[in-house]
Amino acid sequence: METKMFKTATTDLAAAAELIKKGQVVAFPTETVYGLGADATKESAVKKVFAAKNRPSDNPLIVTVANVDMVKRFVSEIPTIAEKLIANFWPGSLTIIMRYNEGALSPIVTGGLPTVAFRLPASDVTRQLIALADTPIVGPSANTSGKPSPTTAQHVWHDMQGKIAGIVDDGATSVGVESTVIDITTDVPTILRPGAVTQEALEAVIGPVNSEHRKVGADETPKAPGMKYRHYAPDVPVYMVTPEAWPAAIIWAQQQLEPVGIMAPDEVIEANHLAGMDFVWSLGTDVTTANAKLFAGLRYFDERDGVETILVHHFANEGVGLAYNNRLGKASSGQYFDADM
């Protein structure tokens, strides 16, 4: 299959939207990561997304919309809590799980559950594309399942060239990690995946919110992506490094026969005289920039010949650090650097 590259001009977006209307898969940019778009109402189109990603069939998909009216096509009513969240966080990096009208969407979109996840992204390009297609689209990350999510069109091309019909290129994403997912069908609204919209921000709008960052059981269908299967992982081992462990980690890295990739904030790089050295990836000045640079760094080292290990900075587990550590924890399988390893 030929994969076409599209820019963000209206004519390009119209051509990409036509492909979606015809049941094809087109990768699209958002403020979080690039997604794989296909008509959420066409089962045959959605199956192509699963095939392109090699994604497990019980992993539900997020339905990405251009406006709130598209949500109303699938639900009897939008609950009051959802209305408050929509008013405060849409368009934006928040995905809301609601109950939907039975039969309104294919079971392969919902994983056979009575709930579905909706998102209205902040990206003007994405919303324009969906509006031109005149249909909500599924929107899983545009990468091979289990690998680091794509934050540039080039990342998508690497994984999806020849597998999908098109890619809309809007440059690098600004947030860099997937949206926060909140389930409002539980007694207390529950965060199933942390993201840029923090628990504190949500509680300021709707009151108490639970947090459930876990993997589900082998026989259990997850309500949201990222809860059951290995995610975000390069082919080589990744280890988390706490701030105080960096001096020992750098000495260890220098003693290895094969190159070790180091991903750290500028403060660590400068304090340990690593600036300008090969196999060093800057995570920027703080955890917000680190979120935007994490997946790109993991991909960079995964594709570099000879790199056998990647060491990555671990931030405090608070605020947007929860989202960062969630993705890094999955990429590393929870492994921390140990000088004796």
Side-chain angles (χ1 to χ4, degrees), residues 118-151:
F118 292 102
R119 175 155 122 81
L120 177 64
S123 168
D124 291 336
V125 170
T126 306
R127 298 199 307 275
Q128 186 179 352
L129 173 67
I130 298 171
L132 287 167
D134 194 31
T135 183
I137 60 177
V138 293
S141 56
N143 57 293
T144 302
S145 193
K147 293 302 179 184
S149 298
T151 54

Side-chain angles (χ1 to χ4, degrees), residues 194-200 213 287 291 316-325:
V197 178
T198 64
Q199 183 168 349
E200 293 80 5
H213 309 155
V287 69
N291 267 327
N317 213 34
E318 59 189 24
V320 293
L322 287 169
Y324 174 91
N325 291 335

Side-chain angles (χ1 to χ4, degrees), residues 259-276:
V260 175
I262 292 175
M263 296 174 57
D266 292 343
E267 182 180 14
V268 171
I269 291 172
E270 292 164 7
N272 292 278
H273 311 292
L274 300 175

